[in-house]
Amino acid sequence: MKKSAEGFTRIAREVFAPIYPVIAEQVLTWSGIRDGLSLDLGSGPGLLSAALAEKSGLSVIALDTDPAMARIAHETAAGHGCADRITPITGDVHCMPVRDDTVSLIVSRGSIFFWKDRVRAFQEIERVLRPGGVALIGGSFGTPALRETIFTEMRRRNPDWDRDVARRSGWATPEVLLRELAASGVALYRIRKEEEGLWVEIRKDPTPVTRHAR
C-alpha cells in the first residue's frame, strides 16, 4: 500500500533521520565534489538534501514525483537553515526537467528500487551530469549500528519489514543492475558494494564531447 507523504515523512524523521548526515558525508567523500549543483532523486521530505547542503557548498535540487513532498522538503530546508540553497521540484527520474550537462553530483537513497524503467533512468542521469560529474544511486543504512537500530524499530512498526526489504533488494541485485547499466549505454559505471548497502556509481567523462556540424 502506498504511504501518504505525511506518513512517509513521519517515518523518515522519526526513524531514518540519523542516516542522512552519514550518507551525505560518504557520497561527498566518494565523489570528491563539494560545490556546484546537486540533484537528490526521490528526495522525499528532503532530509538528504538538507544534509548535503549543510556539509558542502552545493546547491541542491530536491526532486520527487509526489507534489506534496515539495512543500515538505521546503519546510525541511527552512528548518535546517538552508532554504536558499535547496529547490524542491516535482518531477520524474525517467524524464527530468533538468538541462543537459548541468549537475555536478546526483544522489539518491532508496528510490532506485521503485523506478519503473531503470535503463531509461540511467540514461537521464548521464544526460544531466556535467563532464566530470558523479552520480551515486542506491541504498544504505550508513553504519552497522544505525542499520541495527533502524531494523529494530521498523520491525516493531511493521512485522513484514524483513520480507519487504528482501523483496525490494531482489529487484535490484548487482547482477540485474549491471545488465541494466550495460543496456542503457552509460559509458562509465560500476557497482560500489559497501557493508551496509550497494550503490550504482556513474561518472561522466570529464572531457567534453565536441559536436561538429555537418
Side-chain angles (χ1 to χ4, degrees):
M1 183 172 65
K2 185 177 180 180
K3 293 184 176 67
S4 68
E6 291 75 14
F8 186 91
T9 298
R10 185 169 58 253
I11 293 293
R13 289 175 174 169
E14 294 177 359
V15 183
F16 285 79
I19 72 173
Y20 297 110
V22 175
I23 291 173
E25 189 57 51
Q26 287 173 338
V27 299
L28 292 168
T29 299
W30 295 337
S31 69
I33 294 172
R34 290 181 178 267
D35 54 38
L37 180 63
S38 179
L39 178 59
D40 179 7
L41 301 176
S43 56
L47 293 171
L48 180 54
S49 298
L52 286 168
E54 289 177 326
K55 290 179 172 290
S56 73
L58 289 160
S59 296
V60 185
I61 296 172
L63 184 145
D64 199 279
T65 57
D66 188 344
M69 284 300 186
R71 173 184 56 80
I72 296 170
H74 180 74
E75 293 172 354
T76 299
H80 284 256
C82 48
D84 59 330
R85 290 174 44 225
I86 296 177
T87 304
I89 65 173
T90 301
D92 191 321
V93 67
H94 304 93
C95 186
M96 293 188 280
V98 180
R99 290 181 297 172
D100 295 3
D101 306 318
T102 54
V103 181
S104 298
L105 176 64
I106 297 176
V107 298
S108 182
R109 191 265 168 210
S111 70
I112 192 172
F113 303 109
F114 303 97
W115 295 350
K116 293 181 180 179
D117 184 348
R118 285 194 291 257
V119 170
R120 175 60 181 162
F122 293 146
Q123 292 169 342
E124 276 288 277
I125 287 166
E126 187 180 54
R127 176 183 69 80
V128 304
L129 278 176
R130 66 163 176 78
V134 180
L136 288 155
I137 312 296
S140 170
F141 294 90
T143 68
L146 286 171
R147 183 185 189 278
E148 183 59 30
T149 298
I150 288 169
F151 269 57
T152 298
E153 177 59 20
M154 290 306 298
R155 286 165 180 152
R156 186 185 69 80
R157 296 183 182 219
N158 174 15
D160 294 327
W161 169 251
D162 288 276
R163 186 175 63 183
D164 290 346
V165 170
R167 184 178 67 251
R168 287 194 295 271
S169 299
W171 295 337
T173 64
E175 295 75 20
V176 169
L177 291 170
L178 286 171
R179 287 198 300 269
E180 292 170 339
L181 285 159
S184 75
V186 168
L188 302 174
Y189 63 83
R190 67 167 173 153
I191 301 295
R192 177 187 283 271
K193 294 182 181 179
E194 300 296 323
E195 184 177 5
E196 298 313 312
L198 64 83
W199 298 84
V200 172
E201 181 179 300
I202 296 173
R203 291 180 177 264
K204 197 159 188 176
D205 192 329
T207 305
V209 176
T210 302
R211 296 178 175 88
H212 298 284
R214 294 185 178 182

